[in-house]
């Protein structure tokens, strides 16, 4: 999926969405939600951030992961990683395009050309643009918000980078979304605070292979408890408590 945006001003965002109106998606049996992301037409210092939302709507009930987006220009890449007609090292070309196994801070952060930094140790390389959500962390974020007494109607953002996510990633929640009943997925880009004040003329994103992985046989839990009690000689009381967990 190729997404082109023009005149993206500071703090502005652009997005597209996929509704699942006839068949809501149940993600409770999976451990991760993943996707490859490519971006070009800007520089690393422009502070662009890519985001993915999933929930029951686009604005009031959703989980969101937001993370920095690092650029990689596709023009001329076959000359750099090939002979002009075919790729000699297609794996290296793919790693550059999708910023997988990339140097911290991004390969070629100054935007001078698709060249891998030579002083980056192999053990230090990271998947910078790939989205990876550990789905159990979404439910944990909801629990943390509720324990802190934060408003359900206001956006609540976690304070640390989620496990397995790219550096600088943050999870947020608003409303009461559930991964057991996902009816909308939103993909977008945001020109964050502190970035380029002048609107970015043209930004291009590629979204590739949105998928769930890691079939989780444990899943969540649900059930109910019933109770009956006699209150001295006054009255009888009945109770039924049901619960469910993503």
């Amino acid at each position: 999926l190729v997404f082109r945006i023009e005149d993206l001003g500071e703090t502005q965002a652009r997005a597209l969405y996929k509704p699942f109106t006839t068949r809501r998606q149940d993600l409770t049996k999976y451990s991760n939600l993943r996707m490859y992301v490519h971006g070009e037409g800007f520089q690393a210092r422009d502070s662009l951030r890519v985001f993915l939302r999933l929930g029951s709507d686009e604005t009031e009930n959703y989980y969101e992961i937001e993370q920095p987006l690092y650029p990689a220009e596709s023009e001329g890449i076959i000359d750099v990683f090939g002979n002009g007609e075919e790729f000699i090292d297609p794996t290296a070309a793919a790693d550059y395009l999708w910023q997988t196994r990339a140097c911290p801070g991004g390969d070629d952060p100054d935007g001078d050309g698709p060249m891998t930094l030579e002083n980056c140790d192999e053990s230090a390389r990271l998947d910078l643009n790939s989205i990876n959500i550990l789905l159990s962390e979404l439910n944990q974020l909801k629990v943390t918000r509720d324990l802190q007494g934060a408003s359900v109607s206001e956006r609540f953002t976690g304070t640390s980078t989620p496990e397995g996510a790219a550096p600088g990633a943050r999870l947020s929640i608003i409303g009461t979304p559930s991964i057991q009943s996902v009816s909308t997925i939103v993909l977008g880009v945001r020109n964050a605070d502190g970035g380029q004040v002048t609107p970015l003329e043209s930004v291009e994103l590629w979204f590739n292979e949105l998928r769930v992985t890691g079939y989780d046989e444990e899943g969540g839990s649900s059930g109910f408890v019933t109770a009956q009690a006699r209150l001295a000689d006054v009255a009888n009381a009945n109770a039924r408590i049901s619960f469910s967990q993503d």
Side-chain angles (χ1 to χ4, degrees):
L1 176 63
V2 177
F3 185 31
R4 296 186 179 93
I5 308 100
E6 297 181 352
D7 298 324
L8 183 64
E10 186 182 25
T11 73
Q12 291 185 341
R14 299 287 189 274
L16 45 84
Y17 72 97
K18 167 68 176 177
F20 300 94
T21 53
T22 58
R23 184 179 181 183
R24 298 193 175 197
Q25 303 298 302
D26 183 358
L27 308 183
T28 55
K29 287 295 184 181
Y30 301 94
S31 63
N32 294 70
L33 182 68
R34 299 174 182 267
M35 182 173 60
Y36 296 114
V37 182
H38 163 83
E40 59 182 84
F42 61 97
Q43 295 183 343
R45 60 176 174 267
D46 290 330
S47 299
L48 259 68
R49 299 179 70 85
V50 64
F51 64 89
L52 181 152
R53 292 178 182 175
L54 62 158
S56 55
D57 58 63
E58 304 90 55
T59 59
E60 297 181 353
N61 294 277
Y62 62 80
Y63 292 108
E64 179 184 287
I65 185 169
E66 179 193 68
Q67 64 188 50
L69 181 64
Y70 294 89
E73 297 300 323
S74 61
E75 184 176 357
I77 191 173
I78 197 168
D79 296 316
V80 176
F81 295 99
N83 57 16
E85 296 182 356
E86 61 181 4
F87 287 111
I88 297 174
D89 192 345
T91 299
D95 282 339
Y96 170 73
L97 276 176
W98 302 105
Q99 290 290 282
T100 51
R101 296 179 59 255
C103 297
D107 284 347
D108 183 34
D110 295 325
D112 296 326
M115 303 298 292
T116 299
L117 299 180
E118 296 179 356
N119 60 349
C120 177
D121 187 81
E122 185 68 24
S123 63
R125 291 181 174 273
L126 302 166
D127 288 357
L128 294 179
N129 282 356
S130 298
I131 289 178
N132 180 19
I133 305 175
L134 189 62
L135 293 172
S136 61
E137 292 229 6
L138 300 180
N139 189 56
Q140 184 58 49
L141 181 68
K142 183 189 292 184
V143 171
T144 300
R145 178 195 64 180
D146 295 344
L147 288 175
Q148 293 184 11
S151 173
V152 173
S153 61
E154 296 181 3
R155 183 183 173 100
F156 179 85
T157 301
T159 57
S160 60
T161 299
E163 180 182 349
R170 292 290 183 270
L171 290 178
S172 299
I173 181 176
I174 187 170
T176 56
S178 171
I179 62 172
Q180 190 174 12
S181 182
V182 176
S183 58
T184 301
I185 290 180
V186 178
L187 304 174
V189 63
R190 182 175 291 123
N191 192 354
D193 290 326
Q196 176 63 263
V197 177
T198 304
L200 296 170
E201 293 184 1
S202 179
V203 175
E204 182 172 302
L205 277 72
W206 304 353
F207 297 113
N208 191 26
E209 293 188 21
L210 177 62
R211 63 207 185 277
V212 286
T213 62
Y215 189 74
D216 184 0
E217 295 184 351
E218 294 183 2
S221 59
S222 63
F224 64 88
V225 176
T226 60
Q228 183 179 56
R230 181 173 179 81
L231 306 179
D233 295 325
V234 180
N236 292 324
N238 297 284
R240 178 185 175 94
I241 303 172
S242 62
F243 66 92
S244 64
Q245 184 181 38
D246 285 347

